Amino acid sequence: FFYTQPLMVAKVLVKTKNLDEAKLYTIVFMWNGGRRDETKYLVWADSPEPVNEIAINEWNSFNADEMDSCDNIDGKATAEGECYEGFSCLADGQASLMIYVSQCEHAFNLKTTVLKNILKSRGITGVAAHLKGDEALRVLTDRVNELLNYKEETDEPKQPDEEKEEESTSFSTVTGKRVQPETKTDSDEEKEPNNKKPKLK
């Protein structure tokens, strides 16, 4: 069947006039409830709309007479600005397929050939040309992540005021709530009894 064919290298398409401001989207075929995911296209675009159109047109490659349990294959249920998602059973129920669009936030799950094609679509060649294996993959991934403006999340350092607040508070063993330490005021000092013995003359 068509869903058992070897995976093809995803094609990279450009659907924008301003690549510097464009986002990268993926069109994925998810077969049989996720048993096999196939990235068909990577598309540079300003919004999901032109990418959604490509994804919806992919349904035309299947025999409509053998499709059933269809959901949003025409894309009418997809709101403007949202990424497309559609589903259908194929070959009289022998297979199921979900086609969906998503924005590519990072390049960590992409293969070497796909990474090179993404860079080539931006006019960038020769990256990691003298490297092989994992080292080449790492360099290519880092370069594509730069294009995607990907930044790894890091723990933000605490502000000095926050540190002082934590140092000046404690937790009650009874209520489990944070409590402020008691501070003495001038009036409190006046109320305290003077236990000092007077000096004998």
Side-chain angles (χ1 to χ4, degrees), residues 132-149:
K132 295 182 179 180
D134 293 340
E135 185 64 18
L137 180 63
R138 183 186 65 79
V139 173
L140 289 165
T141 299
D142 289 346
R143 186 66 184 91
V144 172
N145 279 338
E146 290 178 11
L147 295 177
L148 300 176
N149 294 318

Side-chain angles (χ1 to χ4, degrees), residues 5 79 187:
Q5 297 300 313
S187 60

Side-chain angles (χ1 to χ4, degrees), residues 13-25:
L13 307 176
V14 177
K15 295 293 181 179
T16 178
K17 294 181 179 179
N18 186 3
L19 278 170
D20 292 334
E21 300 294 332
K23 299 175 183 178
L24 186 63
Y25 294 89

